Amino acid sequence: MKNGKLKAAVIGLGEGFRHVKAYKENPDYELVAVCDILPDPLPPRQAQRLESFNLAGTTERYLDYKEMLKGTDFDVVSVASPDFYHAEQSIACLEAGKHVICEKPMTLDLDEAAAIAETVRRTGKVFMIVHPTRYTPAFILAKKMVARGDIGELFMAETEYAHNYRHVGGSLYNWRRDKRRDPLLGGGCHAVDLLRWVVDDLPDEAFAYGVKKGLADWPIDFDSYFCLYKFKKGVIGKVMCSTGLSRPYTMRSVFYGTKGTIICDNMSPTMQLSSVPFYDKPLTGTYLDDTTPFIDIPVDVNNHNVESMVQLMADIVLRGAENHVDVVEGARTVSACAAAIESAHTGKPVKVRNDF
Ligand SMILES: NC(=O)c1ccc[n+]([C@@H]2O[C@H](COP(=O)([O-])OP(=O)(O)OC[C@H]3O[C@@H](n4cnc5c(N)ncnc54)[C@H](O)[C@@H]3O)[C@@H](O)[C@H]2O)c1
């Protein structure tokens, strides 16, 4: 802490630039260090972005996060390196007494998820997982409407992560094109997390099919999945995840209740509500005459809302706010993805581990 401000650092300067921007613009923070393995001279894109934040003289730059831990004192660190390094770097930073904001997916592995959870508990440091869909206005409103019963009792929910990874590269190399990085855990975790968050219950069992077509030449097993989840209180959920689609990116989601249905999306300025209760009146005339159209509800489009997460960290550390994106939430999403992946490989339903 310096002058009442938290000292912040960022590891990984791709998505990590959003964290750099959020810390720079937030009066609760002073950004004191950034780390990326990219040596000088930086590629033009990185060099320009770094320059635009005017970090010279105030922010140290490191090539190795371990050197950063030794060389600069800070309170909060964003781990925004490729997925494979999240566990190692988060654990090392927690052990060094830092609060951690970790990019999704928390890890690619259940044992690592458990190890981070154990480290968080032992060190008492704050750990937040970045699932920005929890800060997307349409999804926040959908969750609120489901929770207060606007669509009656929720019984079915579907979310999706529809992407084309042929257009998604990496700063240094395309690390997403790696056998260790299953697209359901790496990217589809957004949709799985959204499903868990809105249903607000623990998934008990997963069943999934996978196929590989759009990214046929990638060394991964599947690029596309349909996953089914059975939640403990009876809701059934479906996640469509594909990273090899010929269509624009979207996370279109539908929530079905006994008195209505919500259709929403992270890319659309409107969400839709149908509020026709079951059996509330006898059918007269044709089926179509008795169908009330969907109502459009305007919403802001705001994806990748890292600013809110950086603010939440400050509110937790400085003002005692509650952490609703903690290590258990991160681990449970990893676990729900891992169960579906196992099911797609074995052809059998798989129990979802939730005890982290
Ligand atoms: N929350 C979201 O919606 C969202 C969006 C995009 C990416 N991500 C996540 O952010 C992370 C980074 O993805 P990206 O798109 O920025 O990739 P990227 O390749 O654009 O950037 C990653 C950066 O990390 C650096 N790096 C690699 N290994 C490192 C190491 N060991 N230590 C420090 N730096 C290292 C690379 O040089 C690169 O500059 C991934 O975990 C990804 O899943 C999250």
Side-chain angles (χ1 to χ4, degrees):
M1 293 276 293
K2 190 175 154 197
N3 303 327
K5 287 175 185 263
L6 294 165
K7 289 195 267 182
V10 174
I11 304 175
L13 293 176
E15 189 67 12
F17 271 116
R18 289 189 206 273
H19 295 248
V20 168
K21 182 169 179 290
Y23 288 125
K24 285 289 282 182
E25 291 174 352
N26 190 315
D28 280 330
Y29 291 96
E30 182 185 346
L31 183 70
V32 294
V34 293
C35 166
D36 195 293
I37 55 168
L38 284 178
D40 279 329
L42 287 173
R45 186 168 147 258
Q46 259 82 5
Q48 277 162 13
R49 290 174 89 181
L50 258 191
E51 207 169 301
S52 75
F53 288 114
N54 193 21
L55 304 182
T58 58
T59 305
E60 298 289 334
R61 234 187 91 208
Y62 292 89
L63 293 177
D64 182 338
Y65 79 95
K66 290 180 187 152
E67 295 303 314
M68 185 170 84
L69 281 172
K70 279 191 238 153
T72 300
D73 179 36
F74 55 91
D75 307 289
V76 174
V77 61
S78 287
V79 174
S81 51
D83 308 355
F84 322 114
Y85 309 114
H86 291 183
E88 175 202 315
Q89 294 178 349
S90 293
I91 288 172
C93 290
L94 289 162
E95 296 284 8
K98 316 302 178 193
H99 304 297
V100 173
I101 300 180
C102 179
E103 268 297 343
K104 54 56 55 180
M106 191 169 108
T107 66
L108 296 171
D109 176 300
L110 274 190
D111 291 340
E112 284 184 349
I116 300 177
E118 186 279 321
T119 313
V120 171
R121 269 191 286 274
R122 184 165 41 74
T123 58
K125 292 290 141 188
V126 179
F127 179 93
M128 282 175 53
I129 182 73
V130 176
H131 273 301
T133 47
R134 295 190 182 206
Y135 295 86
T136 299
F139 297 150
I140 292 172
L141 186 53
K143 179 174 168 66
K144 218 178 250 177
M145 289 164 76
V146 168
R148 71 184 174 207
D150 291 5
I151 58 167
E153 185 189 347
L154 183 75
F155 60 95
M156 252 182 1
E158 51 181 284
T159 61
E160 74 182 29
Y161 177 78
H163 220 315
N164 183 344
Y165 270 23
R166 290 223 177 267
H167 303 311
V168 182
S171 302
L172 188 60
Y173 64 101
N174 194 350
W175 56 266
R176 286 176 174 84
R177 193 181 166 131
D178 186 309
K179 188 165 174 49
R180 291 172 296 169
R181 211 235 189 203
D182 187 285
L184 180 61
L185 237 170
C189 63
H190 280 308
V192 172
D193 189 71
L194 177 63
L195 181 78
R196 290 199 326 100
W197 183 57
V198 176
V199 171
D200 197 19
D201 190 15
L202 297 174
D204 193 33
E205 193 173 272
F207 185 82
Y209 287 113
V211 66
K212 185 166 88 164
K213 206 63 167 169
L215 304 176
D217 53 329
W218 283 35
I220 51 178
D221 294 322
F222 304 120
D223 60 36
S224 305
Y225 286 92
F226 275 129
C227 315
L228 295 177
Y229 290 98
K230 188 162 62 102
F231 284 83
K232 287 193 187 288
K233 290 182 201 145
V235 173
I236 52 174
K238 185 188 89 180
V239 171
M240 187 281 266
C241 161
S242 179
T243 52
L245 290 178
S246 294
R247 58 157 301 169
Y249 167 64
T250 175
M251 282 188 62
R252 180 181 178 275
S253 299
V254 189
F255 302 103
Y256 301 92
T258 50
K259 294 184 179 163
T261 299
I262 297 166
I263 303 179
C264 53
D265 186 339
N266 58 342
M267 305 303 281
S268 168
T270 52
M271 58 191 279
Q272 294 179 298
L273 169 68
S274 152
S275 55
V276 186
F278 286 171
Y279 316 119
D280 66 328
K281 54 182 178 177
L283 282 181
T284 54
T286 68
Y287 172 74
L288 282 177
D289 289 343
D290 282 296
T291 306
T292 311
F294 276 97
I295 303 158
D296 281 345
I297 303 172
V299 281
D300 286 338
V301 177
N302 183 354
N303 287 304
H304 300 104
N305 188 347
V306 174
E307 292 83 359
S308 291
M309 283 170 267
V310 158
Q311 184 60 58
L312 177 61
M313 175 59 94
D315 288 342
I316 294 168
V317 176
L318 299 175
R319 299 169 197 106
E322 193 189 331
N323 184 2
H324 53 85
V325 279
D326 64 9
V327 73
V328 174
E329 286 296 286
R332 283 179 175 166
T333 291
V334 169
S335 175
C337 295
I341 293 167
E342 186 184 331
S343 170
H345 282 92
T346 61
K348 298 202 166 78
V350 174
K351 287 279 171 205
V352 180
R353 177 180 166 191
N354 288 297
D355 59 328
F356 291 96

Short mmCIF file of all heavy atoms in Angstrom, two decimals, residues 59-101:
data_model
loop_
_atom_site.label_atom_id
_atom_site.label_comp_id
_atom_site.label_asym_id
_atom_site.label_seq_id
_atom_site.Cartn_x
_atom_site.Cartn_y
_atom_site.Cartn_z
N THR A 59 6.48 2.38 -13.64
CA THR A 59 6.15 0.96 -13.63
C THR A 59 7.35 0.13 -14.10
O THR A 59 7.84 0.33 -15.21
CB THR A 59 4.93 0.70 -14.56
OG1 THR A 59 3.87 1.55 -14.13
CG2 THR A 59 4.47 -0.73 -14.50
N GLU A 60 7.78 -0.79 -13.26
CA GLU A 60 8.91 -1.66 -13.63
C GLU A 60 8.45 -2.69 -14.65
O GLU A 60 7.30 -3.12 -14.62
CB GLU A 60 9.41 -2.43 -12.39
CG GLU A 60 9.94 -1.57 -11.28
CD GLU A 60 11.27 -0.94 -11.62
OE1 GLU A 60 12.01 -1.51 -12.46
OE2 GLU A 60 11.56 0.13 -11.05
N ARG A 61 9.36 -3.09 -15.53
CA ARG A 61 9.03 -4.14 -16.49
C ARG A 61 9.94 -5.34 -16.28
O ARG A 61 11.15 -5.18 -16.15
CB ARG A 61 9.19 -3.62 -17.91
CG ARG A 61 7.95 -3.82 -18.74
CD ARG A 61 8.18 -3.45 -20.17
NE ARG A 61 8.63 -4.60 -20.92
CZ ARG A 61 9.38 -4.52 -21.99
NH1 ARG A 61 9.79 -3.37 -22.43
NH2 ARG A 61 9.74 -5.61 -22.63
N TYR A 62 9.34 -6.54 -16.22
CA TYR A 62 10.10 -7.77 -16.00
C TYR A 62 9.80 -8.79 -17.09
O TYR A 62 8.71 -8.79 -17.68
CB TYR A 62 9.70 -8.40 -14.66
CG TYR A 62 10.13 -7.59 -13.45
CD1 TYR A 62 9.30 -6.60 -12.93
CD2 TYR A 62 11.36 -7.82 -12.83
CE1 TYR A 62 9.68 -5.86 -11.82
CE2 TYR A 62 11.75 -7.08 -11.71
CZ TYR A 62 10.90 -6.11 -11.22
OH TYR A 62 11.28 -5.38 -10.12
N LEU A 63 10.78 -9.70 -17.30
CA LEU A 63 10.58 -10.80 -18.24
C LEU A 63 10.16 -12.08 -17.50
O LEU A 63 9.63 -13.01 -18.09
CB LEU A 63 11.88 -11.10 -19.00
CG LEU A 63 12.37 -10.02 -19.95
CD1 LEU A 63 13.71 -10.41 -20.56
CD2 LEU A 63 11.36 -9.77 -21.06
N ASP A 64 10.43 -12.10 -16.19
CA ASP A 64 10.17 -13.30 -15.40
C ASP A 64 9.39 -12.90 -14.14
O ASP A 64 9.84 -12.04 -13.37
CB ASP A 64 11.53 -13.92 -15.02
CG ASP A 64 11.39 -15.21 -14.24
OD1 ASP A 64 10.31 -15.44 -13.63
OD2 ASP A 64 12.35 -16.00 -14.21
N TYR A 65 8.24 -13.54 -13.91
CA TYR A 65 7.41 -13.13 -12.76
C TYR A 65 8.11 -13.38 -11.43
O TYR A 65 7.86 -12.68 -10.45
CB TYR A 65 6.03 -13.83 -12.81
CG TYR A 65 6.05 -15.25 -12.32
CD1 TYR A 65 5.72 -15.55 -11.01
CD2 TYR A 65 6.40 -16.31 -13.17
CE1 TYR A 65 5.74 -16.85 -10.54
CE2 TYR A 65 6.42 -17.61 -12.71
CZ TYR A 65 6.09 -17.88 -11.40
OH TYR A 65 6.12 -19.17 -10.93
N LYS A 66 9.04 -14.36 -11.41
CA LYS A 66 9.75 -14.64 -10.14
C LYS A 66 10.66 -13.47 -9.80
O LYS A 66 10.81 -13.11 -8.62
CB LYS A 66 10.56 -15.93 -10.26
CG LYS A 66 9.68 -17.16 -10.33
CD LYS A 66 10.51 -18.42 -10.43
CE LYS A 66 9.63 -19.62 -10.67
NZ LYS A 66 10.29 -20.69 -11.40
N GLU A 67 11.27 -12.88 -10.83
CA GLU A 67 12.10 -11.68 -10.61
C GLU A 67 11.23 -10.52 -10.14
O GLU A 67 11.63 -9.72 -9.30
CB GLU A 67 12.85 -11.30 -11.90
CG GLU A 67 13.86 -12.32 -12.36
CD GLU A 67 14.91 -12.61 -11.28
OE1 GLU A 67 15.43 -11.65 -10.69
OE2 GLU A 67 15.20 -13.79 -11.01
N MET A 68 10.02 -10.44 -10.70
CA MET A 68 9.10 -9.37 -10.30
C MET A 68 8.73 -9.52 -8.82
O MET A 68 8.69 -8.53 -8.07
CB MET A 68 7.84 -9.40 -11.17
CG MET A 68 6.88 -8.26 -10.91
SD MET A 68 5.59 -8.19 -12.16
CE MET A 68 4.43 -9.39 -11.50
N LEU A 69 8.50 -10.77 -8.39
CA LEU A 69 8.17 -11.00 -6.98
C LEU A 69 9.32 -10.59 -6.06
O LEU A 69 9.11 -10.07 -4.97
CB LEU A 69 7.83 -12.48 -6.75
CG LEU A 69 6.43 -12.93 -7.17
CD1 LEU A 69 6.29 -14.45 -7.08
CD2 LEU A 69 5.36 -12.26 -6.33
N LYS A 70 10.56 -10.81 -6.55
CA LYS A 70 11.73 -10.45 -5.73
C LYS A 70 12.00 -8.96 -5.79
O LYS A 70 12.40 -8.34 -4.81
CB LYS A 70 12.97 -11.19 -6.25
CG LYS A 70 13.08 -12.62 -5.79
CD LYS A 70 14.46 -13.18 -6.14
CE LYS A 70 14.35 -14.41 -7.00
NZ LYS A 70 15.44 -14.68 -7.87
N GLY A 71 11.75 -8.35 -6.97
CA GLY A 71 12.25 -6.99 -7.22
C GLY A 71 11.32 -5.86 -6.88
O GLY A 71 11.76 -4.73 -6.66
N THR A 72 10.00 -6.11 -6.86
CA THR A 72 9.06 -5.00 -6.66
C THR A 72 8.02 -5.40 -5.61
O THR A 72 7.51 -6.52 -5.63
CB THR A 72 8.34 -4.64 -8.00
OG1 THR A 72 9.32 -4.26 -8.95
CG2 THR A 72 7.37 -3.48 -7.80
N ASP A 73 7.70 -4.46 -4.75
CA ASP A 73 6.69 -4.72 -3.72
C ASP A 73 5.31 -4.36 -4.29
O ASP A 73 5.12 -3.27 -4.82
CB ASP A 73 7.02 -3.84 -2.50
CG ASP A 73 6.01 -4.03 -1.40
OD1 ASP A 73 5.53 -5.17 -1.23
OD2 ASP A 73 5.67 -3.03 -0.73
N PHE A 74 4.37 -5.28 -4.23
CA PHE A 74 3.00 -4.97 -4.68
C PHE A 74 2.00 -5.78 -3.86
O PHE A 74 2.37 -6.73 -3.16
CB PHE A 74 2.84 -5.20 -6.19
CG PHE A 74 3.22 -6.57 -6.67
CD1 PHE A 74 2.28 -7.58 -6.74
CD2 PHE A 74 4.53 -6.86 -7.06
CE1 PHE A 74 2.64 -8.85 -7.20
CE2 PHE A 74 4.88 -8.12 -7.51
CZ PHE A 74 3.94 -9.12 -7.58
N ASP A 75 0.71 -5.37 -3.95
CA ASP A 75 -0.34 -6.01 -3.15
C ASP A 75 -1.21 -6.96 -3.97
O ASP A 75 -1.66 -7.99 -3.49
CB ASP A 75 -1.27 -4.93 -2.55
CG ASP A 75 -0.50 -3.88 -1.80
OD1 ASP A 75 0.01 -4.20 -0.72
OD2 ASP A 75 -0.39 -2.74 -2.31
N VAL A 76 -1.51 -6.53 -5.21
CA VAL A 76 -2.47 -7.26 -6.06
C VAL A 76 -1.80 -7.57 -7.39
O VAL A 76 -1.10 -6.72 -7.94
CB VAL A 76 -3.72 -6.38 -6.33
CG1 VAL A 76 -4.65 -7.05 -7.33
CG2 VAL A 76 -4.46 -6.07 -5.04
N VAL A 77 -2.04 -8.79 -7.90
CA VAL A 77 -1.46 -9.12 -9.22
C VAL A 77 -2.52 -9.77 -10.10
O VAL A 77 -3.33 -10.57 -9.63
CB VAL A 77 -0.22 -10.04 -9.08
CG1 VAL A 77 -0.57 -11.36 -8.41
CG2 VAL A 77 0.44 -10.29 -10.42
N SER A 78 -2.54 -9.37 -11.36
CA SER A 78 -3.38 -10.05 -12.35
C SER A 78 -2.55 -11.09 -13.07
O SER A 78 -1.48 -10.75 -13.61
CB SER A 78 -3.92 -9.04 -13.38
OG SER A 78 -4.92 -8.24 -12.83
N VAL A 79 -3.02 -12.32 -13.09
CA VAL A 79 -2.34 -13.39 -13.83
C VAL A 79 -3.07 -13.54 -15.16
O VAL A 79 -4.18 -14.08 -15.21
CB VAL A 79 -2.35 -14.71 -13.02
CG1 VAL A 79 -1.79 -15.85 -13.86
CG2 VAL A 79 -1.55 -14.55 -11.74
N ALA A 80 -2.47 -13.01 -16.23
CA ALA A 80 -3.12 -13.00 -17.55
C ALA A 80 -2.19 -13.62 -18.59
O ALA A 80 -2.18 -13.20 -19.75
CB ALA A 80 -3.51 -11.57 -17.93
N SER A 81 -1.41 -14.59 -18.16
CA SER A 81 -0.54 -15.34 -19.07
C SER A 81 -1.38 -16.47 -19.70
O SER A 81 -2.52 -16.70 -19.29
CB SER A 81 0.63 -15.92 -18.27
OG SER A 81 0.12 -16.61 -17.15
N PRO A 82 -0.85 -17.19 -20.69
CA PRO A 82 -1.60 -18.34 -21.23
C PRO A 82 -2.00 -19.33 -20.13
O PRO A 82 -1.32 -19.45 -19.09
CB PRO A 82 -0.59 -18.96 -22.21
CG PRO A 82 0.23 -17.78 -22.67
CD PRO A 82 0.40 -16.94 -21.45
N ASP A 83 -3.07 -20.06 -20.38
CA ASP A 83 -3.72 -20.91 -19.36
C ASP A 83 -2.76 -21.83 -18.61
O ASP A 83 -2.93 -22.08 -17.42
CB ASP A 83 -4.78 -21.82 -20.03
CG ASP A 83 -5.77 -21.05 -20.88
OD1 ASP A 83 -5.71 -19.80 -20.90
OD2 ASP A 83 -6.59 -21.70 -21.54
N PHE A 84 -1.75 -22.35 -19.33
CA PHE A 84 -0.86 -23.36 -18.73
C PHE A 84 -0.12 -22.84 -17.50
O PHE A 84 0.38 -23.62 -16.69
CB PHE A 84 0.19 -23.83 -19.75
CG PHE A 84 -0.35 -23.95 -21.14
CD1 PHE A 84 0.10 -23.12 -22.16
CD2 PHE A 84 -1.34 -24.88 -21.42
CE1 PHE A 84 -0.42 -23.23 -23.44
CE2 PHE A 84 -1.87 -24.99 -22.70
CZ PHE A 84 -1.41 -24.16 -23.71
N TYR A 85 0.03 -21.51 -17.39
CA TYR A 85 0.85 -20.94 -16.31
C TYR A 85 0.02 -20.42 -15.14
O TYR A 85 0.58 -19.95 -14.15
CB TYR A 85 1.72 -19.81 -16.87
CG TYR A 85 2.47 -20.22 -18.11
CD1 TYR A 85 2.20 -19.66 -19.34
CD2 TYR A 85 3.44 -21.24 -18.04
CE1 TYR A 85 2.86 -20.08 -20.49
CE2 TYR A 85 4.11 -21.66 -19.18
CZ TYR A 85 3.80 -21.07 -20.41
OH TYR A 85 4.46 -21.49 -21.53
N HIS A 86 -1.31 -20.45 -15.25
CA HIS A 86 -2.15 -19.83 -14.21
C HIS A 86 -1.90 -20.43 -12.83
O HIS A 86 -1.81 -19.70 -11.84
CB HIS A 86 -3.63 -19.97 -14.57
CG HIS A 86 -4.04 -19.14 -15.75
ND1 HIS A 86 -5.34 -19.08 -16.20
CD2 HIS A 86 -3.33 -18.34 -16.58
CE1 HIS A 86 -5.40 -18.28 -17.26
NE2 HIS A 86 -4.20 -17.83 -17.52
N ALA A 87 -1.83 -21.77 -12.77
CA ALA A 87 -1.71 -22.41 -11.46
C ALA A 87 -0.36 -22.08 -10.83
O ALA A 87 -0.29 -21.59 -9.69
CB ALA A 87 -1.88 -23.91 -11.58
N GLU A 88 0.71 -22.32 -11.57
CA GLU A 88 2.06 -22.07 -11.03
C GLU A 88 2.20 -20.61 -10.58
O GLU A 88 2.65 -20.32 -9.47
CB GLU A 88 3.11 -22.38 -12.10
CG GLU A 88 4.52 -22.05 -11.69
CD GLU A 88 5.46 -21.84 -12.88
OE1 GLU A 88 5.43 -22.64 -13.82
OE2 GLU A 88 6.23 -20.86 -12.84
N GLN A 89 1.79 -19.69 -11.44
CA GLN A 89 2.00 -18.27 -11.12
C GLN A 89 1.07 -17.80 -10.00
O GLN A 89 1.48 -17.04 -9.11
CB GLN A 89 1.80 -17.42 -12.39
CG GLN A 89 2.87 -17.71 -13.43
CD GLN A 89 2.70 -16.94 -14.73
OE1 GLN A 89 1.68 -16.33 -14.98
NE2 GLN A 89 3.73 -16.99 -15.58
N SER A 90 -0.18 -18.27 -10.01
CA SER A 90 -1.11 -17.87 -8.94
C SER A 90 -0.61 -18.37 -7.59
O SER A 90 -0.60 -17.64 -6.59
CB SER A 90 -2.51 -18.44 -9.19
OG SER A 90 -3.07 -17.85 -10.32
N ILE A 91 -0.19 -19.64 -7.55
CA ILE A 91 0.27 -20.22 -6.28
C ILE A 91 1.51 -19.48 -5.78
O ILE A 91 1.59 -19.11 -4.60
CB ILE A 91 0.52 -21.74 -6.43
CG1 ILE A 91 -0.84 -22.47 -6.56
CG2 ILE A 91 1.32 -22.31 -5.25
CD1 ILE A 91 -0.75 -23.95 -6.89
N ALA A 92 2.47 -19.22 -6.68
CA ALA A 92 3.69 -18.51 -6.25
C ALA A 92 3.35 -17.12 -5.73
O ALA A 92 3.92 -16.66 -4.72
CB ALA A 92 4.67 -18.42 -7.42
N CYS A 93 2.43 -16.43 -6.38
CA CYS A 93 2.07 -15.07 -5.94
C CYS A 93 1.33 -15.10 -4.61
O CYS A 93 1.59 -14.28 -3.71
CB CYS A 93 1.24 -14.36 -7.01
SG CYS A 93 2.21 -13.96 -8.49
N LEU A 94 0.42 -16.07 -4.44
CA LEU A 94 -0.29 -16.20 -3.16
C LEU A 94 0.70 -16.49 -2.03
O LEU A 94 0.63 -15.89 -0.95
CB LEU A 94 -1.33 -17.32 -3.24
CG LEU A 94 -2.57 -17.06 -4.11
CD1 LEU A 94 -3.26 -18.38 -4.46
CD2 LEU A 94 -3.55 -16.12 -3.41
N GLU A 95 1.63 -17.41 -2.31
CA GLU A 95 2.64 -17.77 -1.29
C GLU A 95 3.48 -16.56 -0.92
O GLU A 95 3.97 -16.44 0.20
CB GLU A 95 3.57 -18.89 -1.80
CG GLU A 95 2.89 -20.23 -2.07
CD GLU A 95 2.57 -21.02 -0.81
OE1 GLU A 95 2.72 -20.48 0.30
OE2 GLU A 95 2.12 -22.18 -0.94
N ALA A 96 3.66 -15.64 -1.89
CA ALA A 96 4.46 -14.44 -1.62
C ALA A 96 3.61 -13.34 -0.97
O ALA A 96 4.07 -12.20 -0.83
CB ALA A 96 5.08 -13.94 -2.93
N GLY A 97 2.35 -13.66 -0.65
CA GLY A 97 1.52 -12.71 0.10
C GLY A 97 0.72 -11.76 -0.77
O GLY A 97 0.25 -10.72 -0.29
N LYS A 98 0.56 -12.08 -2.06
CA LYS A 98 -0.18 -11.19 -2.96
C LYS A 98 -1.64 -11.64 -3.10
O LYS A 98 -1.93 -12.85 -3.06
CB LYS A 98 0.45 -11.17 -4.37
CG LYS A 98 1.97 -11.05 -4.39
CD LYS A 98 2.49 -9.83 -3.69
CE LYS A 98 4.00 -9.79 -3.69
NZ LYS A 98 4.54 -8.79 -2.75
N HIS A 99 -2.53 -10.69 -3.31
CA HIS A 99 -3.90 -11.01 -3.73
C HIS A 99 -3.87 -11.21 -5.24
O HIS A 99 -3.15 -10.49 -5.94
CB HIS A 99 -4.86 -9.87 -3.39
CG HIS A 99 -4.84 -9.48 -1.93
ND1 HIS A 99 -5.21 -10.35 -0.93
CD2 HIS A 99 -4.51 -8.32 -1.32
CE1 HIS A 99 -5.11 -9.74 0.24
NE2 HIS A 99 -4.67 -8.51 0.03
N VAL A 100 -4.68 -12.17 -5.72
CA VAL A 100 -4.56 -12.56 -7.14
C VAL A 100 -5.91 -12.42 -7.87
O VAL A 100 -6.94 -12.88 -7.39
CB VAL A 100 -4.08 -14.03 -7.25
CG1 VAL A 100 -4.12 -14.51 -8.71
CG2 VAL A 100 -2.67 -14.19 -6.69
N ILE A 101 -5.84 -11.78 -9.05
CA ILE A 101 -6.97 -11.80 -10.00
C ILE A 101 -6.49 -12.66 -11.16
O ILE A 101 -5.59 -12.27 -11.90
CB ILE A 101 -7.32 -10.38 -10.51
CG1 ILE A 101 -7.72 -9.46 -9.37
CG2 ILE A 101 -8.44 -10.46 -11.56
CD1 ILE A 101 -8.08 -8.03 -9.80
#
